[in-house]
Amino acid sequence: VNHAAATGTGTGVLGDTKTLNTDSYSGGYYLRDITKPMYSTGGKIETYTANYGTALPGTLLTDADNVWTDRAAVDAHYYAGKTYDFYYNKLGRNSFDNRGATLKSTVHYSRNYNNAFWNGTQMVYGDGDGSQFTSLSGALDVVAHEITHAVTERTAGLVYEYQPGALNESFSDVLGNLVENKNDPKWLLGEDVTTPGIAGDALRSMSNPNEYGQPDHMNEYQNLPNTREGDWGGVHINSGIPNKAFYNFVTTPGITKDNAGKIWYRALTQYLTSYSQFIDARNATIQAATDLFGANSLEATAVANAWASVGVG
Ligand SMILES: O=C(O)[C@H](CCc1ccccc1)CC1(C(=O)N[C@@H](Cc2c[nH]c3ccccc23)C(=O)O)CCCC1
Ligand SMILES: [Zn+2]
């Protein structure tokens, strides 16, 4: 048969079994999902391996019997599909460009690579060194974090430095956790792949940014240089402040995750721009809440209070 949707099974990074959307061709199966609405305009989800090198995208994964054992690839593929579904079904967005662009992931990037990234074209995942991280595609919040960088790039375009960069980071953490949708009262980031030898820790905490060295209030804002060593003005550090604002908002009685996500997404895609500062994000999220729920709604009031609680506005 020439290219038909097939259903395979695979083992994920944490040893769990998952059902996968694959593509059958005469002779075997590709790790390619052709079942999504994006396929009507040629979009698909494809997962590659860099084979421990750094050339991208590497080789599209194939398998003879549709039983997949590359754990990092299984999760990169499955979680990209879950993230696509969230954006399409919950927010009405058709892939990161809203025009059904193909989602391409590469796993086994380099050796013992303790990180992951969106490179402007695709997602890239390291396997970690087994101590600091396990394969980073093993966390849905990480996968959705990376794909949200692509969404931000195509919408607000928040530049990756200082406050706009910290907002860029925060939107990726917020959407990462909303897509993951765990009942995690601490709203942790990367908990499934950080320090496989230690339970209960994470990369960041949205409920208590201080726990992982991040500020949770403007009076703790860290003025860092716009260099690699300075984390581009502290984009992964000062994101603790907007992260805490979102946490305070979404945990306000009467506020739902779905409505919080709609408000943050509308602010990102309708009001924020390349050099928006924290105060602009406050104003944008209040405006979005007002658009969606009314000026004196619980949502609009709670958004203003949440930003005020971290010293913004
Ligand atoms: O997407 C991002 O913001 C991060 C991308 C980092 C990157 C950028 C450019 C080239 C290479 C890597 C990756 C993630 C991140 O937050 N990385 C942080 C924390 C981190 C992960 N691995 C590290 C190793 C050393 C130091 C810090 C880190 C960082 O790069 O700062 C996001 C979710 C999990 C990993
Ligand atoms: Zn990021």
Side-chain angles (χ1 to χ4, degrees):
V1 179
N2 201 16
H3 292 296
T7 303
T9 56
T11 306
V13 171
L14 304 181
D16 56 313
T17 299
K18 291 178 165 90
T19 300
L20 297 173
N21 292 318
T22 60
D23 175 12
S24 70
Y25 70 106
S26 51
Y29 300 88
Y30 290 118
L31 199 45
R32 175 187 289 129
D33 182 343
I34 57 175
T35 67
K36 304 296 186 190
M38 65 200 317
Y39 194 56
S40 63
T41 53
K44 38 210 179 266
I45 298 173
E46 295 183 331
T47 303
Y48 295 70
T49 176
N51 237 351
Y52 312 103
T54 54
L56 295 174
T59 311
L60 182 65
L61 282 144
T62 58
D63 186 85
D65 63 0
N66 217 6
V67 177
W68 301 80
T69 55
D70 182 326
R71 296 185 171 201
V74 164
D75 279 349
H77 194 69
Y78 184 83
Y79 288 149
K82 287 293 163 207
T83 305
Y84 176 87
D85 292 345
F86 179 93
Y87 269 103
Y88 191 82
N89 298 326
K90 296 272 188 184
L91 299 171
R93 189 178 189 88
N94 183 8
S95 195
F96 59 87
D97 67 345
N98 203 17
R99 300 180 60 185
T102 288
L103 284 169
K104 200 173 279 190
S105 305
T106 296
V107 295
H108 305 309
Y109 176 81
S110 188
R111 306 185 70 78
N112 301 322
Y113 188 68
N114 280 316
N115 224 326
F117 56 93
W118 168 261
N119 75 349
T121 304
Q122 62 163 104
M123 287 82 78
V124 183
Y125 301 98
D127 289 309
D129 58 12
S131 169
Q132 195 179 346
F133 286 98
T134 187
S135 299
L136 281 92
S137 60
L140 175 50
D141 57 2
V142 170
V143 171
H145 177 110
E146 299 309 341
I147 293 172
T148 300
H149 277 311
V151 172
T152 298
E153 202 174 86
R154 299 305 189 95
T155 56
L158 289 160
V159 293
Y160 209 56
E161 63 186 31
Y162 303 119
Q163 287 195 18
L167 289 173
N168 186 319
E169 268 305 299
S170 179
F171 277 97
S172 275
D173 282 355
V174 165
L175 271 296
N177 268 318
L178 287 174
V179 172
E180 187 176 56
N181 194 27
K182 268 186 196 170
N183 276 324
D184 168 19
K186 298 177 83 172
W187 286 75
L188 300 173
L189 219 291
E191 66 280 6
D192 289 351
V193 293
T194 42
T195 58
I198 304 167
D201 68 342
L203 203 49
R204 294 185 280 276
S205 164
M206 296 179 67
S207 59
N208 181 17
N210 286 175
E211 191 169 354
Y212 297 100
Q214 291 186 295
D216 64 1
H217 193 283
M218 277 313 281
N219 56 33
E220 296 172 6
Y221 189 92
Q222 293 191 29
N223 292 298
L224 293 163
N226 184 19
T227 61
R228 177 179 302 282
E229 301 69 40
D231 187 30
W232 314 112
V235 301
H236 293 99
I237 295 165
N238 292 310
S239 58
I241 294 164
N243 280 1
K244 179 72 173 179
F246 178 82
Y247 172 78
N248 287 346
F249 173 59
V250 75
T251 54
T252 304
I255 301 298
T256 66
K257 279 187 185 180
D258 276 6
N259 288 343
K262 288 190 176 87
I263 290 165
W264 251 244
Y265 177 76
R266 182 173 178 81
L268 178 69
T269 56
Q270 300 294 327
Y271 295 113
L272 293 176
T273 58
S274 306
Y275 287 94
S276 291
Q277 305 294 308
F278 288 1
I279 187 63
D280 301 307
R282 173 218 180 250
N283 295 338
T285 48
I286 292 171
Q287 187 57 56
T290 300
D291 297 345
L292 295 172
F293 301 98
N296 301 310
S297 60
L298 168 70
E299 285 77 8
T301 310
V303 169
N305 289 343
W307 285 102
S309 69
V310 298
V312 177

